[in-house]
Amino acid sequence: MNDQRKMEVPVRGMDCAECASHVRKAISGVDGVDDADVLLGAEKAVIRFSVETLDVSHIRKAVADAGYEVPHENEGAGDTDNSAQSRGAKLTRQALSLFGVVFGAVLFIVVVGEWLGLFDAVTRHIPWYIALAVLLAGGYPIFRNVITAALRGRVLAHTLMTVGAVAAMVAGEWVTAAIVVFFMRLGDYAEQFTAEKARGALHNLESMAPRQARVERDGEEEVVDLDALTLEDTVVVRPGERIPVDGTVIAGHATIDQSAITGESMPVDVGTGASVYAATIPQLGSLRIRTERIGSDTTFGKVIRMVEEAEANQSDVQRVADKFSGYYLPVVAAIAAATFIFSGDALATVAVLVVACSCAFALATPIAVLASVGAAAGHGLLIKGGKYLETLDRADVLLVDKTGTLTIGSPRVREVVPTEDSDEREVLNLAASAERYSEHPIAEGLRTAAAEQDLSLERPEEFESVPGVGIRAVVNGKNIEVGKSGPDLRGPQRVEELKADGATIIVVTKDGTPIGFIAVSDQVREEVPQALSAVRDLGIDSVELLTGDAEDTAARLSATLGVRHRAELLPEDKIRIVQEYQEKGHIVVMVGDGVNDAPALAQADVGMAMGAAGTDVAVEAADVALLRDDWMLVPDAFSVAKRTLRVVRGNIGFTAAYNLAGLSLAAFGILPPILAAAAQSLPDLGILANSSRLLRQKSY
């Protein structure tokens, strides 16, 4: 709908993908809600609605009825700063360490006691009412959620285990029922631990966001919260402080660590007129910055939002796993019924109900995606969800734009060829002086080359830009013309060689007489050959260059890089080429600059935008945004996708095998209920251990 609005609300208490699914269903049932995405990693719901206003109290009640919580606005306000997050993380680590010790000790006692036959001898002396009290005290939160869900026609992962605990009580196995509940609670802690580890990369990003800014107002500096900032405010940043806004430097010079945005470890020098980004850090020097974007509108804010929402872009693998979870519990119930019918063994039936772990299936994909996407974002690679990771994993065609993508995007002077009556410095000086006030990209290349040779540019007395011809100017009383060499103007042999090599030839005349030629060209990024080789090593055999340049120029470049090419293309031609590949069944990745190539990027199965930092169009439109102009991020994207899908498949395979073994052992009476309860907690930790490898991001 065109008038659809969006609201975000925090949700507490979610530990696994099944929890997120229940919350989404609850919110989607509220009147006025069109759709909702519930993000486990970000612990929030993104709600879309078309009514004039949506009452948050209705959302809060629906979430509470589902067994979770939407905190009020003033709750947790003091926990948003970085120090509070650090304290919270420390407490979480301590609690989880204690959990690990307790879990290990109890598991050891139960397993050894069961094997040695000592467990029953000890537990039979515990009065039933003590076991019942422990059962009710420990299991109340679980029983409450199960009953609440049952009244609404839903089945939870804990439903079967609750039935198993009740069945154990009916069979007179009070202590067994209490131990089952104990391991149910330990399983909950394991799921919380798993989810919290997956959120770690996102929390690390969020902790980089400044909360306050030093503002210059009425000649005085004051520190204010970001909410109090306005556009055009002048922000003062001292060495070591994080820049709180996106903006333009109006005074000062500094060396800035931009790794929070681009992932690039090498600092960059900035001065007046340079663009700077929130969450980056001046290491040397102070800056005064004109505010242009604040908070979630900054590049860093967009990165955080994209990482949060990446979870909503589910892959086919995740959707299959979610559907499987829905069928899994009824199948387990059927196996338990069959066990009781054919064996008559109540304890074996209880063990079947207890050992089943459906949450592990639901966690297999999102935990890996959260870890991978969050870690990649910290390295300057923004991937917007699991479905794009899966598509990258299956891609077999890479289409590449030239200008601004394979090349730097700005012409550079390759060589100056003077005539016999002049010299290189004179030719370059007069050309750059004549172009001093020109905004043409070639003019910028000439001025850069003059600066590199420490030439002092003259101020032109007259200046005229002639479309299709070049520049006419008067410099030191001389009439200077700078323009492209025509087809009928042949220069020295060296000029013809440079022209044949793809350079654009600029002729410089003084008072109507040519005094020299300047060869300019857009240079290929130095890391491109290595990156393309890495892409081929990853299984992308078909790489094609798409450009609007002339055939000769494209042919020379493609021959150098060892790729195919198509030249003299319009934007609609690039779209048609993408469609041609897709109609033949290929999975197409298109790499472009994110602005001129936006239509082709959108048409491709995965659009990848180069140098997207600070570019709204690129960040919003691309499926994968490379936050710095580094071609090695392209093979990194494919590598991340392949690693992630390997981990996901490993998670699913491990969970399936583990549950099949557990159900089989339980059904045949080999795995008693107590050990079955202990066993059902382990798949989550296995998934965590496997997925945690993705937090250690590797470059290709």
Side-chain angles (χ1 to χ4, degrees), residues 120 159 260 369 537 672 693:
D120 289 338
T159 299
V369 169
D537 290 343
R693 296 184 295 130

Side-chain angles (χ1 to χ4, degrees), residues 25-294:
K25 291 176 182 177
I27 293 176
S28 297
V30 174
D31 289 341
V33 173
D34 296 331
D35 191 19
D37 288 321
V38 178
L39 311 178
L40 175 66
E43 296 182 285
K44 71 178 182 180
V46 181
I47 304 167
R48 288 172 286 278
F49 58 97
S50 301
V51 295
E52 188 65 28
T53 58
L54 188 64
D55 193 336
V56 178
S57 64
H58 295 165
I59 302 294
R60 184 174 287 111
K61 183 178 186 304
V63 172
D65 289 344
Y68 307 93
E69 178 188 5
V70 174
H72 292 272
E73 291 183 5
N74 59 344
E75 291 182 16
D79 293 333
T80 57
D81 63 352
N82 296 346
S83 60
Q85 289 184 0
S86 299
R87 290 194 298 271
K90 183 177 180 180
L91 291 174
T92 299
R93 287 194 298 270
Q94 292 173 345
L96 292 173
S97 298
L98 178 61
F99 154 69
V101 172
V102 173
F103 178 82
V106 173
L107 183 61
F108 176 79
I109 292 171
V110 170
V111 172
V112 173
E114 188 76 15
W115 280 347
L116 297 178
L118 303 175
F119 194 72
D120 289 338
V122 174
T123 57
R124 73 167 58 102
H125 297 294
I126 299 176
W128 67 267
Y129 50 84
I130 293 180
L132 179 61
V134 172
L135 178 72
L136 294 177
Y140 170 73
I142 296 173
F143 299 153
R144 180 194 61 194
N145 288 343
V146 168
I147 293 171
T148 300
L151 293 175
R152 289 169 173 76
R154 298 199 309 271
V155 177
L156 306 180
H158 283 323
T159 299
L160 290 179
M161 295 190 71
T162 300
V163 172
V166 172
M169 286 191 292
V170 172
E173 299 286 335
W174 297 97
V175 175
T176 297
I179 294 295
V180 167
V181 169
F182 173 78
F183 279 110
M184 288 168 70
R185 297 305 303 274
L186 285 179
D188 286 345
Y189 285 120
E191 288 167 7
Q192 291 175 17
F193 177 60
T194 304
E196 188 60 35
K197 284 291 289 183
R199 294 174 184 135
L202 178 58
H203 290 336
N204 288 340
L205 282 177
E206 291 174 336
S207 68
M208 297 180 187
R211 307 294 175 181
Q212 295 180 316
R214 181 178 289 102
V215 185
E216 185 180 89
R217 291 175 177 169
D218 299 325
E220 299 290 334
E221 292 183 8
E222 59 177 309
V223 177
V224 302
D225 292 337
L226 286 190
D227 293 342
L229 278 179
T230 62
L231 298 182
E232 303 300 327
D233 263 340
T234 298
V235 172
V236 179
V237 183
R238 296 172 181 169
E241 297 178 343
R242 290 190 184 274
I243 296 175
V245 299
D246 281 7
T248 300
V249 177
I250 58 176
H253 184 277
T255 300
I256 296 184
D257 175 3
Q258 293 188 334
S259 58
I261 294 292
T262 65
E264 176 58 59
S265 59
M266 292 299 293
V268 298
D269 291 331
V270 301
T272 302
S275 296
V276 292
Y277 308 115
T280 59
I281 307 173
Q283 296 176 331
L284 298 171
S286 299
L287 299 173
R288 294 174 68 243
I289 302 165
R290 182 177 66 248
T291 302
E292 294 171 355
R293 295 187 184 92
I294 305 169

Side-chain angles (χ1 to χ4, degrees), residues 329-390:
L329 295 180
V331 169
V332 171
I335 293 173
T339 300
F340 185 74
I341 292 171
F342 290 106
S343 70
D345 188 340
L347 290 182
T349 303
V350 170
V352 169
L353 295 172
V354 168
V355 78
C357 182
S358 68
C359 251
F361 283 106
L363 282 171
T365 300
I367 293 299
V369 169
L370 283 171
S372 191
V373 169
H379 288 75
L381 180 59
L382 183 56
I383 303 171
K384 297 186 181 177
K387 69 178 182 181
Y388 302 116
L389 286 167
E390 186 171 5

